[in-house]
Amino acid sequence: MSESHSAPTIGELLGAARSQLAAAAFAPEPREARVLLGWVLGLGEAQLFARSDQPVAAGAVARFGELLVRRLAGEPVAYLLGEREFYGRSFAVDRRVLIPRPETEQLIEAALGLELPPAPRILDIGAGCGSIAVTLAREIPRARVVATDISPPALRVLRTNIERHGVGDRVFAVNADLATAVRLERMDLVVSNPPYVDAGEAGELSVEVRDFEPHVALFAPQSGHSILERLLAAAGALRPGIHLLVEIGYGQADWLRSATAAAAGIELVDILRDYGGIPRTAVIRKRLGMAP
Ligand SMILES: C[S@@+](CC[C@H](N)C(=O)[O-])C[C@H]1O[C@@H](n2cnc3c(N)ncnc32)[C@H](O)[C@@H]1O
């Protein structure tokens, strides 16, 4: 019998994989089977559907099986594929960096809605794979972006994405603890999606997040607010009227309101809600008339 007669078809492979995914405790989406098989075969979801009776070669069956085993162990799809889309662009990701989240695109929208000089100097603190820094550089053609991260492995992924998106002359990756070594008074905008999860809440995270994403990207030391507190303190060094846009976690809006009210020289302009209605992006501004 030839291989094509004994080989499983696309439809059979998808059916079996969907059943296995449905039984996983962390509730993967059923369409992930199509995403993974499509990636192995180089086919889109509609093509898979149209070719569901087509047999799949042994090598591709094996590669799909390996991906499925890793997915069933909880590894996120973005790490399996090595990329994730953010604001319409593909970013290289692996276990050295947090997977960019769709809700962080709101921070991009907020930044693009601000009045900025034609060639703004932007600082992205905790840049990870560079989703924010690179996106702002691509969306604001004359922007120059300093992108800091404390994690040298994350910086290597960041540099890959800077190169991938052709912004090496305008995005500068810096190994730093928050904004130390950066002259904040020169910045026209500061953005950050910092770690904001409390280590005590680790048990509430899904296996996919807790066991696979870098803990330095998830957990703030001491408490969930500790990095946010340091960012608010740093914002005091900005020029009057300059904005700090910062992503916050679920349940942190009240804390942020009190913290900004108590902080010298800055004001909370707004907290934007994400698509799920959760307060997510804080718009903070150095008060006018307050010297850095
Ligand atoms: C939540 S991730 C955000 C990554 C990326 N900006 C995004 O939105 O997808 C936080 C990033 O901050 C970095 N980080 C954690 N503590 C830091 C610190 N003290 N100084 C600079 N970067 C830090 C982590 O390595 C991680 O890459």
Side-chain angles (χ1 to χ4, degrees):
M1 195 186 287
S2 74
E3 185 190 63
S4 65
H5 286 119
S6 58
T9 65
I10 285 177
E12 286 165 350
L13 281 177
L14 288 178
R18 265 197 301 268
S19 308
Q20 286 179 277
L21 288 169
F26 56 91
E29 290 177 35
R31 77 174 273 267
E32 291 179 9
R34 291 198 298 276
V35 172
L36 294 178
L37 186 59
W39 190 76
V40 167
L41 298 176
L43 297 175
E45 293 185 43
Q47 291 169 300
L48 289 177
F49 183 71
R51 302 180 194 191
S52 67
D53 292 334
Q54 187 174 301
V56 179
V61 174
R63 281 199 300 283
F64 179 56
E66 285 160 19
L67 290 180
L68 196 59
V69 166
R70 288 168 62 189
R71 183 67 191 112
L72 289 167
E75 189 164 347
V77 171
Y79 291 155
L80 298 178
L81 305 188
E83 60 185 10
R84 172 51 51 97
E85 190 180 298
F86 181 82
Y87 213 79
R89 296 183 182 89
S90 168
F91 284 82
V93 292
D94 60 32
R95 290 180 64 174
R96 294 174 289 179
V97 291
L98 186 101
I99 299 166
R101 307 294 203 266
E103 55 268 28
T104 305
E105 294 184 350
Q106 185 182 54
L107 190 150
I108 302 291
E109 293 289 344
L112 298 180
L114 293 173
E115 263 185 50
L116 293 171
R121 285 164 300 201
I122 299 174
L123 170 63
D124 177 14
I125 298 175
C129 75
S131 47
I132 298 173
V134 169
T135 300
L136 289 178
R138 288 295 304 268
E139 294 295 321
I140 308 174
R142 291 176 60 204
R144 292 167 71 83
V145 185
V146 175
T148 74
D149 207 292
I150 202 167
S151 157
L155 282 164
R156 286 193 274 279
V157 182
L158 169 62
R159 291 193 176 103
T160 300
N161 283 314
I162 288 173
E163 201 171 309
R164 176 184 281 206
H165 293 289
V167 287
D169 54 340
R170 295 188 295 115
V171 180
F172 309 99
V174 178
N175 187 202
D177 181 8
L178 297 191
T180 49
V182 177
R183 292 171 64 186
L184 283 163
E185 72 282 2
R186 298 190 58 192
M187 294 297 153
D188 298 308
L189 171 65
V190 179
V191 294
S192 184
N193 174 18
Y196 49 65
V197 181
D198 194 295
E201 292 166 7
E204 293 164 34
L205 298 176
S206 75
V207 170
E208 299 163 280
V209 175
R210 191 188 56 228
D211 293 354
F212 289 91
E213 297 202 86
H215 284 192
V216 67
L218 297 171
F219 300 111
Q222 292 102 41
S223 80
H225 302 143
S226 64
I227 298 254
L228 291 167
E229 272 166 15
R230 291 181 58 204
L231 289 174
L232 297 184
L238 297 172
R239 300 194 316 280
I242 297 299
H243 288 87
L244 163 67
L245 303 178
V246 61
E247 182 166 317
I248 60 170
Y250 179 78
Q252 291 181 325
D254 286 344
W255 173 85
L256 188 81
R257 282 190 196 94
S258 315
T260 44
I266 58 169
E267 59 189 341
L268 179 62
V269 178
D270 203 355
I271 307 182
L272 309 172
R273 290 176 185 272
D274 66 19
Y275 313 111
I278 296 169
R280 186 63 70 188
T281 307
V283 182
I284 294 160
R285 185 170 53 199
K286 178 73 187 284
R287 281 185 194 280
L288 293 171
M290 303 287 293

